[in-house]
Amino acid sequence: MQEMIPLKGAAVSAKLKQEVQDGLTRLHGGHTPKLAIVRVGEKPDDMAYERGAIKKMQNFGLDAVTYSFPEMISDEDFKQEFRRINENPEITGILLLLPLPGQICQKEIERMIDPAKDMDGISPMNQAKVFAGDPFGYAPCTAEAVIEVLKGYEIPIEGKRVTIVGRSMVVGKPLSMLLLKENATVTICHTRTRDLPSECRHAEILVAAAGRAKMLGAEAVGKGAVVIDVGINVDADGKLCGDVDYEAIKDAAAMATPVPGGVGAVTTAVLAKHLVRAALEKESSERG
């Protein structure tokens, strides 16, 4: 019996690092692209992602600065602060950590963000471009990271049956559009899908993005399937785990991303790629 191959993010991240380096050599201004990470409150998940993003930017030769605000900042005060960051010419791109606290109107902030600085595809304009198949839109980094993992390991997408478990605007929906663009046949499932394991077993590529620890086991994975686990959860023992029970699927899946060490490492590398792209596009528009 062939052993399941782990699809580790580090190898894909290294390829993206080379793309970023190539992009930096094409910049004429001599400045280093700068990412603004905007955080409200001190949620452990946000802070962990922020640390990982800053480390990746530095590792890729890019700048990152954090703007943190108290959990109870008023809607008006936050909008004022966000407007300053958004209009700052020294900021190349913005990563806004979501969701925002209830007192802030998140939809209005999403509409405010400059689409050219929107590194995680939250603005209505970027969302529309992704859904229209327009290559000039910024897709959410996690959704794009799934495509990068598949391409990085030279896993064919065209014509494949792909099932996505999860329908969020962060992963499920935009990823379905990116996969359709690659000519995959896409099914979107979710936690209320009837007989979810049966739907998943038909998939040649299964993407788990529902945010529930180890919700998919061996019964949900067809023989020889490729499994991409986007989930980051904490199990009963306090250990990080995905939406897929990694140990349980080893006899069924041909390949699978581990958690940690899989898609997460690629997500921040995609963020770096977006930042350099934004710097190149800004320079190009300024030079006319």
Side-chain angles (χ1 to χ4, degrees), residues 164-168 171-173 188-191 207-211:
I164 304 168
V165 182
R167 51 182 165 176
S168 74
V171 185
K173 288 175 182 173
I188 299 181
C189 297
H190 41 81
T191 51
V207 182

Side-chain angles (χ1 to χ4, degrees), residues 1 10 13-14 20 52 88 132 148 175 178 192 208 225 237 242 248 254-255 259 282-283:
M1 187 184 293
S13 181
V20 166
N88 184 344
E148 292 288 2
L175 177 57
L178 297 178
R192 297 194 186 182
D237 301 323
M255 303 175 175
V259 177
K282 181 173 184 271
E283 191 175 86

Side-chain angles (χ1 to χ4, degrees), residues 173-223:
K173 288 175 182 173
L175 177 57
S176 68
M177 295 298 117
L178 297 178
L179 287 162
L180 286 171
K181 199 175 170 189
E182 298 290 335
N183 299 313
T185 299
V186 183
T187 300
I188 299 181
C189 297
H190 41 81
T191 51
R192 297 194 186 182
T193 297
R194 267 187 299 186
D195 198 0
L196 181 61
S198 172
E199 288 288 346
C200 293
R201 275 197 305 275
H202 293 301
E204 293 167 282
I205 299 171
L206 174 63
V207 182
R212 289 197 182 176
K214 298 183 181 180
M215 70 175 285
L216 300 176
E219 74 291 344
V221 179
K223 200 74 183 160

